[in-house]
Amino acid sequence: MDKRLKQLNNLRSFESAARHQSYSKAAEELFVTQAAVSQQMRQLEAAMGSQLFVRNGRKMQLTESGEKLYIATHKAFDTLLKGFNSIQTEDVAGTLTITSTQAFTSLWLMPRLYKFSIKHPEIKVKVVSSNGLEDLRRGHIDLAIRFITNKEVDTSDDMTYEFIAEDHVYPACSPQLMKEYNFKEPQDVLKCWLVSLENQGSIDWRTWFKEAGVENYQCHKKWTEVSSGDMALSAVLSGHGFTLASQALFSQYVITGQLVIPFNIKHPISFKRYFVFDPNSAKKERVNVFTTWLKEETLQDEKSTLEAINYGSL
């Protein structure tokens, strides 16, 4: 046996460190210390007789030799996983753990999940809501539904990112508030309380104000800050001003007449909705069943929202 094959454990750490360009992230993924990964890389470099990494700021950048070894190890471990799954693939029946934001799970997914359970009673679904990006492997999560505003998708975690839909964002309020203030132009939103997220990112009120031509918004004093989109919608459903909401969250309330969109002016930045999953998961068939159902529900939701728009709900 080639003595270099004794380096298999070190090669596993190398593949992770090379994929993340980080010893610390590799340590987190492999449940070891950063010092252990660093030592393994020194051992591997000694065995290979070649330097594999150079430090570039906070990143561990691959050398030319490192690049060649990474391509080989990544392909080899991927082949192993496919081999494992060919004999260990689970049946459709069983458990499926899903994660998404608190707002999406409570306002979009949970009101529809009963339909999936009726259609597929053999699949037991566990839903984990989180406003952070959960590590699917460490959290034993089978599917994530994520919302991304950046043009580029970071696939450094070696997961599959499947684009599903684009969610546009509008200011929403209750019909009672609309009747009370009789809004005529975007400038009129400054008459009311405005609800914003504490971590609003690029989809913020300031950007929408500029898009809509609202002036003197810097002087607005009536602000309420919340930690999640479902809290924001709960506030405006009761008549507490406006919030910026995506179609996925407000559509059911617009269709039932509980919310209105007085100004048909989209925020210039939208959410891109993705399915994220491990392409080598043993639960791939179960994931496929669930994502197929989610796509059907998404299309139906878009159709219903379009009908609401055509009937003047927006």
Side-chain angles (χ1 to χ4, degrees):
M1 181 181 76
D2 191 315
K3 64 180 183 180
R4 290 173 297 182
L5 292 178
K6 295 179 181 179
Q7 298 291 324
L8 281 175
N9 187 48
N10 291 345
L11 285 169
R12 179 68 188 95
S13 295
F14 167 77
E15 190 278 337
S16 180
R19 175 161 35 88
H20 292 295
Q21 295 186 35
S22 168
Y23 286 0
S24 59
K25 289 184 178 179
E28 290 178 8
E29 181 175 282
L30 300 171
F31 299 99
V32 297
T33 65
Q34 182 176 342
V37 173
S38 181
Q39 182 180 14
Q40 287 175 319
M41 294 308 96
R42 288 195 296 270
Q43 292 172 349
L44 185 61
E45 287 179 330
M48 297 291 107
S50 180
Q51 186 176 8
L52 302 174
F53 290 99
V54 292
R55 180 172 291 281
N56 184 3
R58 293 186 177 183
K59 290 186 177 182
M60 299 304 297
Q61 192 170 350
L62 289 168
T63 63
E64 184 177 349
S65 297
E67 286 280 2
K68 292 177 180 179
L69 185 60
Y70 172 65
I71 292 171
T73 54
H74 184 74
K75 184 177 179 180
F77 283 118
D78 187 61
T79 300
L80 276 174
L81 286 173
K82 289 177 180 176
F84 294 152
N85 289 335
S86 69
I87 60 175
Q88 292 182 317
T89 299
E90 297 183 16
D91 295 331
V92 171
T95 60
L96 192 69
T97 302
I98 300 159
T99 186
S100 191
T101 65
Q102 178 180 321
F104 184 78
T105 53
S106 62
L107 296 178
W108 195 95
L109 182 59
M110 297 312 296
R112 295 168 171 80
L113 192 58
Y114 76 95
K115 292 189 281 186
F116 178 79
S117 297
I118 292 173
K119 193 172 183 179
H120 296 283
E122 74 279 9
I123 298 178
K124 179 182 177 182
V125 178
K126 177 183 178 182
V127 179
V128 179
S129 64
S130 172
N131 289 332
L133 294 182
E134 296 293 323
D135 187 313
L136 271 62
R137 290 192 179 97
R138 292 189 67 184
H140 303 290
I141 296 170
D142 305 305
L143 175 69
I145 304 169
R146 290 181 179 165
F147 299 85
I148 300 171
T149 56
N150 299 330
K151 292 182 180 180
E152 298 296 329
V153 176
D154 181 9
T155 57
S156 60
D157 55 5
D158 215 29
M159 293 287 172
T160 292
Y161 284 70
E162 182 180 348
F163 175 76
I164 301 304
E166 183 175 15
D167 291 323
H168 295 289
V169 176
Y170 297 85
C173 72
S174 70
Q176 293 84 2
L177 194 75
M178 176 71 178
K179 184 177 180 180
E180 178 182 351
Y181 285 91
N182 190 27
F183 301 113
K184 297 293 187 182
E185 56 185 4
Q187 190 74 29
D188 293 340
V189 301
L190 298 181
K191 298 176 181 178
C192 306
W193 284 90
L194 300 179
V195 183
S196 65
L197 299 182
E198 59 183 1
N199 296 312
Q200 57 190 345
S202 57
I203 301 183
D204 59 356
W205 275 108
R206 181 178 60 84
T207 305
W208 184 84
F209 288 148
K210 291 182 177 180
E211 179 74 10
V214 175
E215 299 177 349
N216 300 321
Y217 59 85
Q218 298 90 343
C219 302
H220 189 67
K221 302 297 183 183
K222 297 179 178 180
W223 290 100
T224 299
E225 189 175 274
V226 296
S227 60
S228 64
D230 55 332
M231 292 176 64
L233 279 178
S234 178
V236 299
L237 281 166
S238 65
H240 188 69
F242 278 87
T243 191
L244 289 170
S246 70
Q247 289 176 234
L249 303 187
F250 71 63
S251 61
Q252 61 175 313
Y253 297 112
V254 169
I255 291 167
T256 58
Q258 295 172 272
L259 285 178
V260 293
I261 312 296
F263 311 110
N264 193 0
I265 302 174
K266 301 174 186 175
H267 196 285
I269 300 172
S270 61
F271 289 109
K272 277 70 174 181
R273 197 188 319 176
Y274 287 83
F275 291 147
V276 185
F277 54 88
D278 185 347
N280 294 311
S281 171
K283 297 182 180 180
K284 186 65 179 294
E285 290 187 27
R286 206 172 301 156
V287 170
N288 284 339
V289 169
F290 193 79
T291 54
T292 297
W293 172 78
L294 276 173
K295 291 173 187 176
E296 293 171 354
E297 286 296 311
T298 298
L299 287 173
Q300 182 59 46
D301 185 54
E302 290 178 343
K303 181 181 178 182
S304 298
T305 303
L306 182 60
E307 290 175 352
I309 293 173
N310 291 336
Y311 278 107
S313 295
L314 285 178

